[in-house]
Amino acid sequence: MTTGLPTRPRIPREEDFRSRLRGPEVTSRIGVWLGVCFAVAFLTGVYSHLSQQPDPVIPLPTHPVWLYRLTQGLHVTAGTAAVPLLLVKLWSVFPKLFARPPKELRELALHGAERVSIGVLMAAAIFQLVTGLMNTAQWYPWTFSFRATHDAVAWVAIGALAVHIAVKLPVVRQAFAHDVDDDIVERPADLPASALGRRSLLRTTWVAAGVAVLATAGATVPWLRKVSVLAVRSGDGPGGVPINKSAAAARVTGLADAADYRLVVAHGDRETSLSRADLEAMPQTTAELPIACVEGWSAQGSWTGVRIRELLDLVDAPHGSAVLVTSLQPSGPFRVTRLPAAFADDASSLLALALAGEPLSLDHGYPARVIAPNRPGVLQTKWVARLEVV
């Protein structure tokens, strides 16, 4: 006998999701590669964070000159590849959200700890990937410091990942000890046939990750630019180097091209003032150095100018001295940067006056900019007004 009253929907159970594609056989294999991507992104991100510190705890090398370019390319590539991997992994474990907790106290405690660690890991992973992609597009719809927050959450994510691996390692080992089509957990015998097999799902996931990499890697690898439709920088710009921040955006127009421009080099009570013509009259050095930015893009340039070390010699600055570099910019977080001693003394660190044989464009830092090996682009100060030994 029916009452005619509507049936109240019940909360789904884990067993309601009837698919052979969901389970440790697929999840473990995707999880391993997702873990690799997160580890690469974490290590390269830590290196980038250290590189942007005024006085890094660990002294960073000046060579090879392409090291920062490589690490940031890997950082953004690994993060991009992680997006499809994370989406498929979340889909494969979605039924676990509806698993009923055990009743025995010890098992319940372990179950709760695992749920908390997974929740923290997923929240941190999604935050890192979403804000990281926004950073590559230079879109910041928030008020917090991206660099500091991204670094802090990275440590949270990697810690939660370590806990998750420790908990799931026996399951992962079991999954890899069997063929992907073997069932390592018991499933109902009447599961409906799936049009897509586990191998096909994995292949599709690998292809999606590969396409994501190809669509973005051209920002770092020039010969991929024609297929990297999502790369944030194409390589176009004066001298083949893109413009990240224009003179107008930095509010230096009228200051940088003023006839009375002078570069001040200071050390204690010694100080010298140089015009652009004075700088051009000094011995010129050409260095092949990349510009590499935290957004993942980079470009090689042929820079010509005066060695930083030769400018410091004008005020008798001792070797092993760090230098404060001040821009003509009236404001901004990188208006004043610190050039560590190893970089100031390096023979390829220049106060560049020209790029690709032509005078610097205003947007590239005319009348003079710093270019040093293995440094983040944001610290390659443009529109330099002052070099002060510290």
PDB file of all heavy atoms in Angstrom, residues 112-144:
ATOM      1  N   GLY A 112      39.195   9.335  10.783  1.00  0.00           N
ATOM      2  CA  GLY A 112      39.048  10.774  10.895  1.00  0.00           C
ATOM      3  C   GLY A 112      40.334  11.511  10.538  1.00  0.00           C
ATOM      4  O   GLY A 112      40.304  12.538   9.845  1.00  0.00           O
ATOM      5  N   ALA A 113      41.485  10.988  11.015  1.00  0.00           N
ATOM      6  CA  ALA A 113      42.768  11.623  10.709  1.00  0.00           C
ATOM      7  C   ALA A 113      43.044  11.594   9.210  1.00  0.00           C
ATOM      8  O   ALA A 113      43.519  12.583   8.636  1.00  0.00           O
ATOM      9  CB  ALA A 113      43.896  10.915  11.465  1.00  0.00           C
ATOM     10  N   GLU A 114      42.702  10.476   8.568  1.00  0.00           N
ATOM     11  CA  GLU A 114      42.913  10.377   7.124  1.00  0.00           C
ATOM     12  C   GLU A 114      42.025  11.369   6.381  1.00  0.00           C
ATOM     13  O   GLU A 114      42.463  12.050   5.446  1.00  0.00           O
ATOM     14  CB  GLU A 114      42.616   8.958   6.647  1.00  0.00           C
ATOM     15  CG  GLU A 114      42.827   8.782   5.156  1.00  0.00           C
ATOM     16  CD  GLU A 114      42.377   7.413   4.659  1.00  0.00           C
ATOM     17  OE1 GLU A 114      41.812   6.638   5.455  1.00  0.00           O
ATOM     18  OE2 GLU A 114      42.564   7.142   3.466  1.00  0.00           O
ATOM     19  N   ARG A 115      40.757  11.486   6.821  1.00  0.00           N
ATOM     20  CA  ARG A 115      39.833  12.417   6.172  1.00  0.00           C
ATOM     21  C   ARG A 115      40.331  13.866   6.301  1.00  0.00           C
ATOM     22  O   ARG A 115      40.263  14.645   5.346  1.00  0.00           O
ATOM     23  CB  ARG A 115      38.441  12.291   6.797  1.00  0.00           C
ATOM     24  CG  ARG A 115      37.674  11.050   6.396  1.00  0.00           C
ATOM     25  CD  ARG A 115      37.415  11.049   4.893  1.00  0.00           C
ATOM     26  NE  ARG A 115      36.634   9.918   4.462  1.00  0.00           N
ATOM     27  CZ  ARG A 115      35.303   9.921   4.381  1.00  0.00           C
ATOM     28  NH1 ARG A 115      34.615  10.997   4.699  1.00  0.00           N
ATOM     29  NH2 ARG A 115      34.670   8.846   3.974  1.00  0.00           N
ATOM     30  N   VAL A 116      40.833  14.214   7.487  1.00  0.00           N
ATOM     31  CA  VAL A 116      41.330  15.571   7.696  1.00  0.00           C
ATOM     32  C   VAL A 116      42.530  15.843   6.803  1.00  0.00           C
ATOM     33  O   VAL A 116      42.629  16.893   6.161  1.00  0.00           O
ATOM     34  CB  VAL A 116      41.692  15.793   9.177  1.00  0.00           C
ATOM     35  CG1 VAL A 116      42.446  17.123   9.347  1.00  0.00           C
ATOM     36  CG2 VAL A 116      40.443  15.784  10.042  1.00  0.00           C
ATOM     37  N   SER A 117      43.481  14.881   6.739  1.00  0.00           N
ATOM     38  CA  SER A 117      44.681  15.079   5.918  1.00  0.00           C
ATOM     39  C   SER A 117      44.315  15.203   4.444  1.00  0.00           C
ATOM     40  O   SER A 117      44.895  16.033   3.718  1.00  0.00           O
ATOM     41  CB  SER A 117      45.673  13.929   6.119  1.00  0.00           C
ATOM     42  OG  SER A 117      45.189  12.716   5.562  1.00  0.00           O
ATOM     43  N   ILE A 118      43.333  14.406   3.993  1.00  0.00           N
ATOM     44  CA  ILE A 118      42.903  14.490   2.592  1.00  0.00           C
ATOM     45  C   ILE A 118      42.225  15.828   2.327  1.00  0.00           C
ATOM     46  O   ILE A 118      42.445  16.461   1.292  1.00  0.00           O
ATOM     47  CB  ILE A 118      41.961  13.319   2.246  1.00  0.00           C
ATOM     48  CG1 ILE A 118      42.740  11.991   2.246  1.00  0.00           C
ATOM     49  CG2 ILE A 118      41.300  13.528   0.890  1.00  0.00           C
ATOM     50  CD1 ILE A 118      41.879  10.774   2.046  1.00  0.00           C
ATOM     51  N   GLY A 119      41.400  16.270   3.266  1.00  0.00           N
ATOM     52  CA  GLY A 119      40.732  17.566   3.106  1.00  0.00           C
ATOM     53  C   GLY A 119      41.734  18.706   3.006  1.00  0.00           C
ATOM     54  O   GLY A 119      41.608  19.590   2.148  1.00  0.00           O
ATOM     55  N   VAL A 120      42.745  18.686   3.886  1.00  0.00           N
ATOM     56  CA  VAL A 120      43.780  19.722   3.850  1.00  0.00           C
ATOM     57  C   VAL A 120      44.552  19.656   2.535  1.00  0.00           C
ATOM     58  O   VAL A 120      44.832  20.679   1.894  1.00  0.00           O
ATOM     59  CB  VAL A 120      44.739  19.571   5.045  1.00  0.00           C
ATOM     60  CG1 VAL A 120      45.932  20.505   4.902  1.00  0.00           C
ATOM     61  CG2 VAL A 120      44.002  19.857   6.350  1.00  0.00           C
ATOM     62  N   LEU A 121      44.903  18.429   2.124  1.00  0.00           N
ATOM     63  CA  LEU A 121      45.667  18.251   0.884  1.00  0.00           C
ATOM     64  C   LEU A 121      44.889  18.760  -0.326  1.00  0.00           C
ATOM     65  O   LEU A 121      45.435  19.493  -1.172  1.00  0.00           O
ATOM     66  CB  LEU A 121      46.014  16.776   0.701  1.00  0.00           C
ATOM     67  CG  LEU A 121      46.703  16.390  -0.618  1.00  0.00           C
ATOM     68  CD1 LEU A 121      48.003  17.162  -0.787  1.00  0.00           C
ATOM     69  CD2 LEU A 121      46.951  14.886  -0.669  1.00  0.00           C
ATOM     70  N   MET A 122      43.621  18.399  -0.426  1.00  0.00           N
ATOM     71  CA  MET A 122      42.833  18.820  -1.583  1.00  0.00           C
ATOM     72  C   MET A 122      42.616  20.335  -1.593  1.00  0.00           C
ATOM     73  O   MET A 122      42.725  20.977  -2.643  1.00  0.00           O
ATOM     74  CB  MET A 122      41.468  18.102  -1.572  1.00  0.00           C
ATOM     75  CG  MET A 122      41.542  16.616  -1.901  1.00  0.00           C
ATOM     76  SD  MET A 122      42.222  16.279  -3.553  1.00  0.00           S
ATOM     77  CE  MET A 122      43.928  15.862  -3.156  1.00  0.00           C
ATOM     78  N   ALA A 123      42.346  20.901  -0.418  1.00  0.00           N
ATOM     79  CA  ALA A 123      42.139  22.353  -0.350  1.00  0.00           C
ATOM     80  C   ALA A 123      43.417  23.091  -0.746  1.00  0.00           C
ATOM     81  O   ALA A 123      43.387  24.051  -1.529  1.00  0.00           O
ATOM     82  CB  ALA A 123      41.704  22.758   1.053  1.00  0.00           C
ATOM     83  N   ALA A 124      44.560  22.622  -0.213  1.00  0.00           N
ATOM     84  CA  ALA A 124      45.833  23.275  -0.528  1.00  0.00           C
ATOM     85  C   ALA A 124      46.195  23.091  -1.997  1.00  0.00           C
ATOM     86  O   ALA A 124      46.682  24.020  -2.654  1.00  0.00           O
ATOM     87  CB  ALA A 124      46.942  22.714   0.361  1.00  0.00           C
ATOM     88  N   ALA A 125      45.958  21.878  -2.528  1.00  0.00           N
ATOM     89  CA  ALA A 125      46.293  21.599  -3.930  1.00  0.00           C
ATOM     90  C   ALA A 125      45.472  22.472  -4.874  1.00  0.00           C
ATOM     91  O   ALA A 125      46.009  23.062  -5.820  1.00  0.00           O
ATOM     92  CB  ALA A 125      46.060  20.121  -4.231  1.00  0.00           C
ATOM     93  N   ILE A 126      44.178  22.558  -4.610  1.00  0.00           N
ATOM     94  CA  ILE A 126      43.313  23.378  -5.469  1.00  0.00           C
ATOM     95  C   ILE A 126      43.708  24.843  -5.373  1.00  0.00           C
ATOM     96  O   ILE A 126      43.785  25.557  -6.385  1.00  0.00           O
ATOM     97  CB  ILE A 126      41.835  23.168  -5.088  1.00  0.00           C
ATOM     98  CG1 ILE A 126      41.403  21.737  -5.451  1.00  0.00           C
ATOM     99  CG2 ILE A 126      40.938  24.179  -5.793  1.00  0.00           C
ATOM    100  CD1 ILE A 126      40.048  21.345  -4.911  1.00  0.00           C
ATOM    101  N   PHE A 127      43.992  25.314  -4.157  1.00  0.00           N
ATOM    102  CA  PHE A 127      44.416  26.708  -3.982  1.00  0.00           C
ATOM    103  C   PHE A 127      45.691  26.985  -4.762  1.00  0.00           C
ATOM    104  O   PHE A 127      45.804  28.004  -5.466  1.00  0.00           O
ATOM    105  CB  PHE A 127      44.636  27.003  -2.502  1.00  0.00           C
ATOM    106  CG  PHE A 127      45.153  28.391  -2.228  1.00  0.00           C
ATOM    107  CD1 PHE A 127      44.272  29.453  -2.075  1.00  0.00           C
ATOM    108  CD2 PHE A 127      46.515  28.642  -2.140  1.00  0.00           C
ATOM    109  CE1 PHE A 127      44.744  30.738  -1.837  1.00  0.00           C
ATOM    110  CE2 PHE A 127      46.993  29.921  -1.908  1.00  0.00           C
ATOM    111  CZ  PHE A 127      46.099  30.972  -1.751  1.00  0.00           C
ATOM    112  N   GLN A 128      46.673  26.088  -4.657  1.00  0.00           N
ATOM    113  CA  GLN A 128      47.954  26.296  -5.333  1.00  0.00           C
ATOM    114  C   GLN A 128      47.795  26.323  -6.849  1.00  0.00           C
ATOM    115  O   GLN A 128      48.368  27.175  -7.537  1.00  0.00           O
ATOM    116  CB  GLN A 128      48.948  25.198  -4.939  1.00  0.00           C
ATOM    117  CG  GLN A 128      49.418  25.257  -3.497  1.00  0.00           C
ATOM    118  CD  GLN A 128      50.246  26.499  -3.203  1.00  0.00           C
ATOM    119  OE1 GLN A 128      49.705  27.551  -2.875  1.00  0.00           O
ATOM    120  NE2 GLN A 128      51.547  26.391  -3.325  1.00  0.00           N
ATOM    121  N   LEU A 129      47.017  25.382  -7.370  1.00  0.00           N
ATOM    122  CA  LEU A 129      46.867  25.301  -8.817  1.00  0.00           C
ATOM    123  C   LEU A 129      46.072  26.487  -9.369  1.00  0.00           C
ATOM    124  O   LEU A 129      46.441  27.079 -10.391  1.00  0.00           O
ATOM    125  CB  LEU A 129      46.198  23.986  -9.208  1.00  0.00           C
ATOM    126  CG  LEU A 129      47.018  22.716  -8.939  1.00  0.00           C
ATOM    127  CD1 LEU A 129      46.232  21.485  -9.348  1.00  0.00           C
ATOM    128  CD2 LEU A 129      48.358  22.756  -9.668  1.00  0.00           C
ATOM    129  N   VAL A 130      45.001  26.858  -8.679  1.00  0.00           N
ATOM    130  CA  VAL A 130      44.168  27.967  -9.171  1.00  0.00           C
ATOM    131  C   VAL A 130      44.933  29.289  -9.100  1.00  0.00           C
ATOM    132  O   VAL A 130      45.002  30.042 -10.082  1.00  0.00           O
ATOM    133  CB  VAL A 130      42.857  28.060  -8.368  1.00  0.00           C
ATOM    134  CG1 VAL A 130      42.107  29.337  -8.714  1.00  0.00           C
ATOM    135  CG2 VAL A 130      41.974  26.844  -8.676  1.00  0.00           C
ATOM    136  N   THR A 131      45.546  29.587  -7.944  1.00  0.00           N
ATOM    137  CA  THR A 131      46.273  30.850  -7.824  1.00  0.00           C
ATOM    138  C   THR A 131      47.527  30.851  -8.692  1.00  0.00           C
ATOM    139  O   THR A 131      47.929  31.904  -9.216  1.00  0.00           O
ATOM    140  CB  THR A 131      46.657  31.134  -6.362  1.00  0.00           C
ATOM    141  OG1 THR A 131      47.440  30.031  -5.843  1.00  0.00           O
ATOM    142  CG2 THR A 131      45.413  31.325  -5.512  1.00  0.00           C
ATOM    143  N   GLY A 132      48.148  29.681  -8.864  1.00  0.00           N
ATOM    144  CA  GLY A 132      49.321  29.605  -9.729  1.00  0.00           C
ATOM    145  C   GLY A 132      48.985  29.918 -11.169  1.00  0.00           C
ATOM    146  O   GLY A 132      49.708  30.652 -11.853  1.00  0.00           O
ATOM    147  N   LEU A 133      47.870  29.374 -11.655  1.00  0.00           N
ATOM    148  CA  LEU A 133      47.445  29.671 -13.024  1.00  0.00           C
ATOM    149  C   LEU A 133      47.072  31.140 -13.178  1.00  0.00           C
ATOM    150  O   LEU A 133      47.336  31.762 -14.210  1.00  0.00           O
ATOM    151  CB  LEU A 133      46.267  28.771 -13.405  1.00  0.00           C
ATOM    152  CG  LEU A 133      46.607  27.274 -13.587  1.00  0.00           C
ATOM    153  CD1 LEU A 133      45.339  26.469 -13.806  1.00  0.00           C
ATOM    154  CD2 LEU A 133      47.573  27.075 -14.744  1.00  0.00           C
ATOM    155  N   MET A 134      46.442  31.721 -12.140  1.00  0.00           N
ATOM    156  CA  MET A 134      46.122  33.149 -12.191  1.00  0.00           C
ATOM    157  C   MET A 134      47.400  33.987 -12.241  1.00  0.00           C
ATOM    158  O   MET A 134      47.466  35.007 -12.928  1.00  0.00           O
ATOM    159  CB  MET A 134      45.290  33.541 -10.969  1.00  0.00           C
ATOM    160  CG  MET A 134      43.855  33.045 -11.007  1.00  0.00           C
ATOM    161  SD  MET A 134      42.954  33.576  -9.531  1.00  0.00           S
ATOM    162  CE  MET A 134      41.286  33.057  -9.957  1.00  0.00           C
ATOM    163  N   ASN A 135      48.420  33.532 -11.520  1.00  0.00           N
ATOM    164  CA  ASN A 135      49.684  34.260 -11.525  1.00  0.00           C
ATOM    165  C   ASN A 135      50.334  34.241 -12.898  1.00  0.00           C
ATOM    166  O   ASN A 135      50.899  35.253 -13.336  1.00  0.00           O
ATOM    167  CB  ASN A 135      50.642  33.649 -10.489  1.00  0.00           C
ATOM    168  CG  ASN A 135      51.998  34.331 -10.484  1.00  0.00           C
ATOM    169  OD1 ASN A 135      52.103  35.520 -10.207  1.00  0.00           O
ATOM    170  ND2 ASN A 135      53.045  33.584 -10.806  1.00  0.00           N
ATOM    171  N   THR A 136      50.256  33.118 -13.610  1.00  0.00           N
ATOM    172  CA  THR A 136      50.844  33.077 -14.950  1.00  0.00           C
ATOM    173  C   THR A 136      50.155  34.067 -15.882  1.00  0.00           C
ATOM    174  O   THR A 136      50.780  34.584 -16.814  1.00  0.00           O
ATOM    175  CB  THR A 136      50.741  31.665 -15.558  1.00  0.00           C
ATOM    176  OG1 THR A 136      49.363  31.296 -15.712  1.00  0.00           O
ATOM    177  CG2 THR A 136      51.445  30.635 -14.689  1.00  0.00           C
ATOM    178  N   ALA A 137      48.881  34.327 -15.613  1.00  0.00           N
ATOM    179  CA  ALA A 137      48.141  35.305 -16.420  1.00  0.00           C
ATOM    180  C   ALA A 137      48.233  36.716 -15.841  1.00  0.00           C
ATOM    181  O   ALA A 137      47.639  37.648 -16.382  1.00  0.00           O
ATOM    182  CB  ALA A 137      46.675  34.890 -16.516  1.00  0.00           C
ATOM    183  N   GLN A 138      48.970  36.850 -14.712  1.00  0.00           N
ATOM    184  CA  GLN A 138      49.118  38.136 -14.020  1.00  0.00           C
ATOM    185  C   GLN A 138      47.762  38.739 -13.653  1.00  0.00           C
ATOM    186  O   GLN A 138      47.512  39.935 -13.801  1.00  0.00           O
ATOM    187  CB  GLN A 138      49.934  39.115 -14.864  1.00  0.00           C
ATOM    188  CG  GLN A 138      51.372  38.687 -15.057  1.00  0.00           C
ATOM    189  CD  GLN A 138      52.230  39.739 -15.716  1.00  0.00           C
ATOM    190  OE1 GLN A 138      51.782  40.449 -16.608  1.00  0.00           O
ATOM    191  NE2 GLN A 138      53.461  39.872 -15.273  1.00  0.00           N
ATOM    192  N   TRP A 139      46.888  37.902 -13.152  1.00  0.00           N
ATOM    193  CA  TRP A 139      45.564  38.330 -12.688  1.00  0.00           C
ATOM    194  C   TRP A 139      45.504  38.068 -11.191  1.00  0.00           C
ATOM    195  O   TRP A 139      45.583  36.917 -10.751  1.00  0.00           O
ATOM    196  CB  TRP A 139      44.467  37.562 -13.427  1.00  0.00           C
ATOM    197  CG  TRP A 139      43.084  37.950 -12.996  1.00  0.00           C
ATOM    198  CD1 TRP A 139      42.632  39.194 -12.672  1.00  0.00           C
ATOM    199  CD2 TRP A 139      41.958  37.073 -12.818  1.00  0.00           C
ATOM    200  NE1 TRP A 139      41.311  39.165 -12.322  1.00  0.00           N
ATOM    201  CE2 TRP A 139      40.866  37.862 -12.407  1.00  0.00           C
ATOM    202  CE3 TRP A 139      41.776  35.705 -12.987  1.00  0.00           C
ATOM    203  CZ2 TRP A 139      39.614  37.330 -12.139  1.00  0.00           C
ATOM    204  CZ3 TRP A 139      40.516  35.172 -12.726  1.00  0.00           C
ATOM    205  CH2 TRP A 139      39.451  35.973 -12.317  1.00  0.00           C
ATOM    206  N   TYR A 140      45.378  39.116 -10.389  1.00  0.00           N
ATOM    207  CA  TYR A 140      45.434  38.997  -8.940  1.00  0.00           C
ATOM    208  C   TYR A 140      44.177  39.581  -8.296  1.00  0.00           C
ATOM    209  O   TYR A 140      44.209  40.712  -7.780  1.00  0.00           O
ATOM    210  CB  TYR A 140      46.682  39.696  -8.404  1.00  0.00           C
ATOM    211  CG  TYR A 140      47.955  39.239  -9.073  1.00  0.00           C
ATOM    212  CD1 TYR A 140      48.595  40.024 -10.025  1.00  0.00           C
ATOM    213  CD2 TYR A 140      48.516  38.002  -8.761  1.00  0.00           C
ATOM    214  CE1 TYR A 140      49.756  39.601 -10.647  1.00  0.00           C
ATOM    215  CE2 TYR A 140      49.674  37.568  -9.373  1.00  0.00           C
ATOM    216  CZ  TYR A 140      50.290  38.365 -10.315  1.00  0.00           C
ATOM    217  OH  TYR A 140      51.443  37.937 -10.938  1.00  0.00           O
ATOM    218  N   PRO A 141      43.072  38.847  -8.305  1.00  0.00           N
ATOM    219  CA  PRO A 141      41.835  39.372  -7.710  1.00  0.00           C
ATOM    220  C   PRO A 141      41.796  39.154  -6.195  1.00  0.00           C
ATOM    221  O   PRO A 141      40.783  38.748  -5.637  1.00  0.00           O
ATOM    222  CB  PRO A 141      40.752  38.541  -8.422  1.00  0.00           C
ATOM    223  CG  PRO A 141      41.418  37.226  -8.668  1.00  0.00           C
ATOM    224  CD  PRO A 141      42.875  37.527  -8.935  1.00  0.00           C
ATOM    225  N   TRP A 142      42.900  39.410  -5.509  1.00  0.00           N
ATOM    226  CA  TRP A 142      42.974  39.234  -4.061  1.00  0.00           C
ATOM    227  C   TRP A 142      43.879  40.327  -3.497  1.00  0.00           C
ATOM    228  O   TRP A 142      44.588  41.031  -4.227  1.00  0.00           O
ATOM    229  CB  TRP A 142      43.506  37.845  -3.697  1.00  0.00           C
ATOM    230  CG  TRP A 142      44.786  37.495  -4.393  1.00  0.00           C
ATOM    231  CD1 TRP A 142      46.032  38.035  -4.162  1.00  0.00           C
ATOM    232  CD2 TRP A 142      44.969  36.556  -5.459  1.00  0.00           C
ATOM    233  NE1 TRP A 142      46.966  37.485  -5.002  1.00  0.00           N
ATOM    234  CE2 TRP A 142      46.344  36.565  -5.808  1.00  0.00           C
ATOM    235  CE3 TRP A 142      44.114  35.700  -6.133  1.00  0.00           C
ATOM    236  CZ2 TRP A 142      46.864  35.764  -6.811  1.00  0.00           C
ATOM    237  CZ3 TRP A 142      44.639  34.894  -7.136  1.00  0.00           C
ATOM    238  CH2 TRP A 142      45.986  34.919  -7.467  1.00  0.00           C
ATOM    239  N   THR A 143      43.882  40.458  -2.175  1.00  0.00           N
ATOM    240  CA  THR A 143      44.675  41.503  -1.528  1.00  0.00           C
ATOM    241  C   THR A 143      45.918  40.953  -0.838  1.00  0.00           C
ATOM    242  O   THR A 143      46.785  41.727  -0.426  1.00  0.00           O
ATOM    243  CB  THR A 143      43.820  42.245  -0.487  1.00  0.00           C
ATOM    244  OG1 THR A 143      43.295  41.310   0.462  1.00  0.00           O
ATOM    245  CG2 THR A 143      42.658  42.975  -1.161  1.00  0.00           C
ATOM    246  N   PHE A 144      46.025  39.628  -0.683  1.00  0.00           N
ATOM    247  CA  PHE A 144      47.190  39.063   0.000  1.00  0.00           C
ATOM    248  C   PHE A 144      48.385  38.971  -0.953  1.00  0.00           C
ATOM    249  O   PHE A 144      48.242  39.045  -2.177  1.00  0.00           O
ATOM    250  CB  PHE A 144      46.869  37.681   0.582  1.00  0.00           C
ATOM    251  CG  PHE A 144      46.361  36.675  -0.426  1.00  0.00           C
ATOM    252  CD1 PHE A 144      47.230  35.986  -1.271  1.00  0.00           C
ATOM    253  CD2 PHE A 144      45.001  36.402  -0.521  1.00  0.00           C
ATOM    254  CE1 PHE A 144      46.767  35.055  -2.187  1.00  0.00           C
ATOM    255  CE2 PHE A 144      44.525  35.473  -1.438  1.00  0.00           C
ATOM    256  CZ  PHE A 144      45.414  34.796  -2.265  1.00  0.00           C
TER     257      PHE A 144
END
